[in-house]
Amino acid sequence: MSEEVILLKDLKLVPDKYYNYTQALKNSKTPIVIDNGSFTCKAGWATSKTPNLTFKNILARPRKERGKKDGETLIGNDIPNIEAVRFQLKSQFDRNVITQFNVQEQIFDYTFSHLGIDSNGSINHPILMTEPVANPNYSRLLMSELLFECYHVPGICYGIDGLFSYKHNIGKKTGLVINCGHHTTHIIPVIKGTPDLLNTRRIDVGGYHITYYLHKLLQLKYPAHYNAITPSRAEELLYEHGFLAVHYTDMLKKWSDADYYDRNVKRIQLPYSMTVVLTPDQQRDKRREMAKKLVEMNARKRDEKLAEDEEQLQQLLLIQEMIDDGEPIEEVREVLKSHGLKNEKDLRKLISDLQTRIDRAKSKIAASLNASNVEEHVTEEPKLRLFKNKIQLPKEDTISKTWLKDIYKRRQDIIDKKAVRKQRRQDMAKRGTAASLERMRLISQLARKDKRDDDFGSRDEDWDVYKVINKEGGDTDSDEEQEKITELEEIIRFYDPTFVSSNTNEEQNPKEAHQLHFGIERMRCAEVLFQPSMIGCSQGGITDTVEFILKKYNAETANALAENLFLTGGPTKLPGFKERVYRELREMRPLETNINVKLSNSPLLDSWYGAKEFANSGDFHKYLLTPEMYAEHGGDYFIENYCSNMYCPLPEAIQEPEGLSEQNQEI
Amino acid sequence: MANNTLEEVSHKEEKKYVFKDPTFDSTKTVNGKKKLWRSLKQITAQERNLPWPENTIYYSSISAPPSFKPSKKYSDISGLIAKYKDPQTSLYYAGHEEFSTVRNLPSDIITGYLTLRGSYNPIG
């Protein structure tokens, strides 16, 4: 049995470096290739070997606080710890489509400035950007507007990320692209190098949903660690230990075996701080010491007070003597006044008061010295604390079994009451039970129309009916009750050490208490790609949708597509993904047909590599949308290429040439 | 030292990128009102209502169809294949060991599981 405990890495992001804008780049019209994914943005020069920048496509904008200087907006890899700014994160994406163009603008600023560009007033490089399949024209219009009017780029070309990756890995063959993104999964058939977008389908489940599902599952499994289980940690766990079951239900049966579970579960250690747990003995010692200190402090105070009183008394006695000696009245009055006294009577009263006070204090000191039973004093203290709820404790010698029995009974009563309430709640939840029938009867009686002589409410008892018809039964499990139980149990434990409390949570060591058992969740979370119903999504999973698409073709083309399935995108890195697709396809396709599944070489970066190749190809400039075309054909226009969307102009009937961007829809 | 960094920050905030058109209004104020960006829902809702000719695609037209197979049911707490459903909490569970756990779950955990599965219905 492996008892290995895995520590979380909690990797911190490293800020991107600024590149130099070399003279060669300045003078050339080297295209900038941007794979603008909703998870990460990959950007770089078409001449670079790998993307110059790879960063999370998010920014953190600190909230504006009055009286405080606005914090800096952090972008992508500049955010050291995403969890610290979780609630300030902004993304330009709504699902897989860009809608927040002010955020996109800041991302562009970040990208271009990190590439080192310092040309004045414009970016003198054509841009090759990826966009989602069937990107709404409205979104493309705003993107072109931003690039042309804010950055004055000389040309833009749009393409689909999954297709670039396919071109890079496969080329011009017929095949089926399964592109698993952060928010969506696209399945795109490619016929002899040309994408068939009409038969493309999108499933609204992606890597984000896997991590979200895992995050929530772990939080629900370990409510105590609700805050320690963060989305970033869920993501780390997914890509470190997650996998796709080749045969999910078979695997579940294996996991239900305790031995298999023990062998395959990953124990994840959450960070924790050692809280010093004191043994009861140590606690008692500590308490004793504290009490001793308190006693000493009290004694000192008493001594001080006593000395003060004695001095005052001395003075007053002097005055008394003065009066007795027959000093002049004027003088006596003066002295009395200075002590805040009116006349002789007051003086006498004060003297007697002081004397009694001093006597009392002296006797107290004597008593505490005599007894010197500080110890006893202390041991009694914890007991005394128990009695704030006025539970009468008999004198030590009279503790009888009957009294203890009574305490037991009182504890049991509360527990029973709770059980009754729970039962009632359960009964209320069901329809047919006597309790809920009675409740319905009462409600209908209360709602009766003919209330000729309705005197409801004149008596106080009338109002009790609301307690009866309340689903909760009028009262809930209060903290007060729980407190009382703990107190009673405390007393019982004091006199009966063998007693075991009803709700003692097993004392675990903090290390084990902070461990997550990452078992079935390892494969359960990624399963949402194949069974979206697990997260309440009504769409079919990947294989369902593949089947749906294949059915749209004749047998020959369908076979050709199935012979060349191509997987790309972040989640396809998960172990078992390829095998899973193969197995399900095998079960679905006719026996004599071939099935081939190929995984992208680099599921995360291949789109960028493919796009780069396209940007370096000789006819790239032919596909560039120029500012002139943008002005002439309208904002949503672009030139189609073999990796791009279809240009579908908005239907004439309702076309709003300028109005689209101007309209400010009220929500 | 702290002062210094503050200055740096404000300097960075005011930093104008030379490659940008200074006249471009990124806040898109129309009549003194800040432009609200349309959500994807609004965009697609508008798209759907257009009279698209045949053989064109738009965002909603490529949405994957629902699955034809009945969805399998898995225990909410363990993930195992669920044979039963607790009528009270409407959670799925796999066996008798899980049943007592299901019954003793606090209500927020129950709603958490139901919401996660997309079948939380507060009306009952």
Side-chain angles (χ1 to χ4, degrees):
Chain A
M1 214 195 295
S2 71
E3 281 290 340
E4 187 198 358
V5 175
I6 296 150
L7 291 175
L8 286 160
K9 289 180 190 155
D10 284 337
L11 292 178
K12 294 260 182 293
L13 296 176
V14 187
D16 285 315
K17 66 171 182 176
Y18 283 87
Y19 288 87
N20 271 334
Y21 193 35
T22 59
Q23 205 60 39
L25 283 170
K26 212 177 265 184
N27 296 333
S28 72
K29 290 227 164 196
T30 311
I32 298 172
V33 179
I34 302 173
D35 178 7
N36 202 20
S38 59
F39 184 54
T40 52
C41 175
K42 283 76 65 179
W45 301 104
T47 47
S48 306
K49 221 174 144 201
T50 52
N52 298 56
L53 303 164
T54 304
F55 57 89
K56 283 207 166 148
N57 226 340
I58 41 172
L59 62 80
R61 195 180 293 148
R63 216 178 309 178
K64 282 191 179 119
E65 276 174 72
R66 219 180 290 169
K68 258 194 181 175
K69 248 191 185 159
D70 285 357
E72 200 182 348
T73 301
L74 295 172
I75 296 173
N77 290 337
D78 286 350
I79 306 169
N81 180 8
I82 288 184
E83 292 313 326
V85 291
R86 178 60 64 189
F87 297 109
Q88 300 158 4
L89 290 184
K90 294 228 158 39
S91 161
Q92 67 269 53
F93 285 89
D94 187 346
R95 220 184 282 169
N96 62 337
V97 173
I98 298 166
T99 55
Q100 308 287 314
F101 282 87
N102 54 342
V103 177
Q104 182 62 52
E105 185 183 335
Q106 282 174 291
I107 301 278
F108 276 144
D109 290 344
Y110 178 89
T111 312
F112 296 141
S113 62
H114 276 79
L115 289 175
I117 297 171
D118 57 2
S119 49
N120 231 330
S122 66
I123 304 276
N124 297 317
H125 301 271
I127 309 281
L128 172 54
M129 266 197 90
T130 59
E131 60 172 14
V133 185
N135 190 24
N137 289 10
Y138 177 78
S139 173
R140 188 180 306 114
L141 176 145
L142 288 173
M143 179 62 85
S144 297
E145 180 184 288
L146 180 64
L147 283 170
F148 280 131
E149 290 175 26
C150 181
Y151 300 99
H152 292 289
V153 298
I156 314 172
C157 181
Y158 295 111
I160 295 167
D161 48 353
L163 292 174
F164 282 131
S165 179
Y166 183 76
K167 279 273 132 60
H168 177 69
N169 281 273
I170 308 280
K172 290 211 165 198
K173 265 168 67 183
T174 296
L176 194 65
V177 184
I178 300 174
N179 181 18
C180 202
H182 189 50
H183 280 98
T184 51
T185 300
H186 284 98
I187 299 171
I188 316 169
V190 180
I191 311 290
K192 296 193 181 90
T194 323
D196 181 2
L197 293 171
L198 282 174
N199 288 323
T200 294
R201 284 298 176 269
R202 177 195 63 243
I203 308 167
D204 294 324
V205 178
Y208 165 81
H209 299 92
I210 304 177
T211 23
Y212 177 81
Y213 190 49
L214 176 58
H215 175 220
K216 288 286 162 198
L217 276 181
L218 289 177
Q219 274 186 335
L220 289 168
K221 191 171 166 187
Y222 298 100
H225 305 307
Y226 191 85
N227 290 322
I229 300 166
T230 60
S232 321
R233 282 180 177 156
E235 199 178 294
E236 183 189 322
L237 289 179
L238 170 67
Y239 287 108
E240 293 280 327
H241 311 292
F243 65 93
L244 259 159
V246 177
H247 201 299
Y248 191 62
T249 39
D250 283 3
M251 280 302 269
L252 279 181
K253 275 179 204 136
K254 275 195 198 169
W255 276 95
S256 61
D257 176 55
D259 281 341
Y260 184 88
Y261 185 94
D262 269 345
R263 263 180 280 128
N264 289 285
V265 70
K266 301 276 178 193
R267 291 171 178 82
I268 313 293
Q269 185 68 57
L270 286 173
Y272 65 97
S273 54
M274 269 300 244
T275 42
V276 186
V277 183
L278 296 172
T279 63
D281 273 350
Q282 281 170 317
Q283 267 174 342
R284 205 183 315 126
D285 285 351
K286 206 174 171 190
R287 229 162 14 211
R288 205 170 285 178
E289 212 160 283
M290 290 276 281
K292 215 179 216 167
K293 252 186 214 160
L294 264 177
V295 168
E296 274 166 18
M297 216 157 72
N298 271 341
R300 202 162 47 231
K301 245 188 218 162
R302 209 163 39 201
D303 286 349
E304 271 166 28
K305 182 88 178 134
L306 184 64
E308 211 174 279
D309 283 350
E310 270 174 342
E311 201 190 309
Q312 204 187 355
L313 183 66
Q314 242 11 259
Q315 277 178 3
L316 293 178
L317 284 175
L318 274 178
I319 302 170
Q320 180 76 36
E321 235 167 78
M322 261 165 77
I323 297 168
D324 291 348
D325 286 356
E327 296 273 337
I329 293 186
E330 292 293 314
E331 238 174 84
V332 173
R333 234 177 233 162
E334 197 99 322
V335 178
L336 277 177
K337 225 180 191 176
S338 74
H339 276 85
L341 295 165
K342 273 187 204 139
N343 48 32
E344 234 189 285
K345 223 170 116 192
D346 274 4
L347 180 70
R348 289 223 183 86
K349 194 165 170 268
L350 193 61
I351 290 175
S352 69
D353 277 358
L354 274 173
Q355 239 146 12
T356 47
R357 210 163 358 149
I358 290 166
D359 285 348
R360 217 184 298 147
K362 272 186 177 156
S363 65
K364 249 189 200 167
I365 291 171
S368 70
L369 279 178
N370 268 353
S372 74
N373 56 353
V374 183
E375 299 292 303
E376 214 167 291
H377 221 84
V378 173
T379 43
E380 226 139 43
E381 196 134 44
K383 257 195 280 168
L384 286 171
R385 276 208 194 115
L386 291 172
F387 306 128
K388 54 179 181 246
N389 278 0
K390 292 176 203 119
I391 294 171
Q392 286 287 320
L393 195 70
K395 297 237 162 50
E396 294 268 345
D397 48 312
T398 58
I399 298 172
S400 57
K401 279 199 173 140
T402 48
W403 177 79
L404 201 59
K405 238 185 216 160
D406 181 48
I407 295 282
Y408 268 115
K409 198 178 157 285
R410 280 161 76 175
R411 172 177 160 271
Q412 199 53 47
D413 281 353
I414 298 177
I415 292 173
D416 287 350
K417 225 158 85 189
K418 279 178 107 171
V420 166
R421 219 178 290 139
K422 196 176 162 197
Q423 183 60 43
R424 194 187 134 80
R425 257 204 309 267
Q426 288 186 356
D427 286 350
M428 280 298 186
K430 281 181 261 174
R431 266 184 204 196
T433 56
S436 65
L437 284 179
E438 170 67 8
R439 178 168 166 263
M440 287 317 291
R441 193 188 63 79
L442 278 171
I443 290 177
S444 62
Q445 203 173 20
L446 282 171
R448 225 177 28 204
K449 271 261 168 77
D450 57 311
K451 292 177 188 165
R452 234 163 296 147
D453 29 51
D454 186 7
D455 59 347
F456 179 85
S458 55
R459 279 160 298 142
D460 280 346
E461 302 92 77
D462 288 350
W463 300 98
D464 287 341
V465 76
Y466 287 113
K467 261 192 204 164
V468 183
I469 62 170
N470 187 336
K471 267 200 172 179
E472 299 293 324
D475 47 0
T476 47
D477 299 336
S478 60
D479 291 341
E480 201 184 318
E481 250 174 8
Q482 191 55 46
E483 220 169 76
K484 206 148 192 184
I485 289 186
T486 15
E487 197 177 322
L488 286 168
E489 283 178 353
E490 198 95 335
I491 297 173
I492 295 170
R493 205 172 308 129
F494 191 84
Y495 294 107
D496 181 5
T498 56
F499 172 74
V500 185
S501 165
S502 57
N503 61 340
T504 38
N505 0 12
E506 288 167 47
E507 297 227 340
Q508 268 180 316
N509 72 42
K511 193 178 169 187
E512 263 169 44
H514 284 80
Q515 273 176 15
L516 307 182
H517 284 209
F518 189 33
I520 294 178
E521 291 86 0
R522 287 175 62 195
M523 58 175 197
R524 185 179 176 189
C525 56
E527 192 62 21
V528 297
L529 291 175
F530 291 84
Q531 300 186 50
S533 60
M534 286 168 73
I535 50 167
C537 173
S538 62
Q539 287 177 313
I542 288 180
T543 28
D544 294 330
T545 311
V546 168
E547 187 176 9
F548 173 84
I549 291 171
L550 290 182
K551 275 189 182 149
K552 290 180 165 259
Y553 293 95
N554 58 33
E556 196 189 329
T557 324
N559 285 345
L561 287 170
E563 263 174 41
N564 190 16
L565 291 162
F566 174 68
L567 306 176
T568 186
T572 58
K573 284 191 301 188
L574 290 171
F577 203 110
K578 197 175 130 181
E579 292 76 9
R580 172 62 179 268
V581 173
Y582 179 82
R583 184 195 67 81
E584 292 211 354
L585 261 280
R586 186 70 276 171
E587 280 175 11
M588 183 177 92
R589 299 292 304 156
L591 209 64
E592 63 276 14
T593 56
N594 280 330
I595 291 165
N596 256 311
V597 187
K598 188 182 180 335
L599 181 64
S600 168
N601 289 328
S602 161
L604 282 173
L605 295 179
D606 274 350
S607 298
W608 188 87
Y609 291 133
K612 185 192 99 168
E613 281 160 22
F614 178 54
N616 285 327
S617 65
D619 51 358
F620 174 63
H621 62 272
K622 281 199 287 185
Y623 299 107
L624 275 178
L625 173 74
T626 63
E628 294 76 37
M629 292 179 203
Y630 166 74
E632 194 186 324
H633 296 284
D636 54 0
Y637 180 73
F638 72 104
I639 303 173
E640 290 179 13
N641 60 58
Y642 55 81
C643 283
S644 77
N645 273 308
M646 283 160 77
Y647 174 54
C648 303
L650 290 179
E652 283 292 332
I654 317 184
Q655 194 169 5
E656 300 154 285
E658 275 306 291
L660 255 184
S661 59
E662 301 300 312
Q663 249 178 31
N664 204 343
Q665 192 143 348
E666 305 287 337
I667 304 166
Chain B
M1 190 62 208
N3 226 339
N4 215 342
T5 47
L6 250 181
E7 265 174 32
E8 265 177 41
V9 167
S10 64
H11 174 75
K12 244 187 178 167
E13 271 291 287
E14 284 160 27
K15 188 170 159 189
K16 290 270 185 288
Y17 295 98
V18 287
F19 47 76
K20 285 172 85 169
D21 185 341
T23 60
F24 183 78
D25 177 20
S26 51
T27 52
K28 302 262 185 212
T29 35
V30 182
N31 307 332
K33 252 188 177 171
K34 238 191 189 173
K35 181 178 170 116
L36 295 170
W37 303 100
R38 276 194 221 173
S39 70
L40 181 61
K41 213 172 165 185
Q42 292 172 313
I43 296 172
T44 50
Q46 202 213 11
E47 251 190 4
R48 261 202 307 273
N49 291 328
L50 297 175
W52 292 95
E54 264 193 46
N55 289 336
T56 48
I57 62 160
Y58 50 97
Y59 193 81
S60 326
S61 78
I62 61 162
S63 186
S67 176
F68 299 112
K69 295 170 201 144
S71 59
K72 290 207 177 73
K73 291 181 177 49
Y74 302 102
S75 158
D76 284 295
I77 46 176
S78 70
L80 298 169
I81 295 164
K83 291 191 202 123
Y84 318 100
K85 181 185 175 183
D86 173 23
Q88 224 181 88
T89 58
S90 46
L91 288 180
Y92 297 139
Y93 62 98
H96 60 92
E97 302 100 329
E98 280 180 22
F99 181 68
S100 57
T101 325
V102 165
R103 275 291 161 92
N104 288 318
L105 282 178
S107 62
D108 55 331
I109 303 284
I110 294 170
T111 44
Y113 277 121
L114 290 175
T115 318
L116 195 55
R117 178 155 41 92
S119 55
Y120 175 57
N121 183 357
I123 302 162

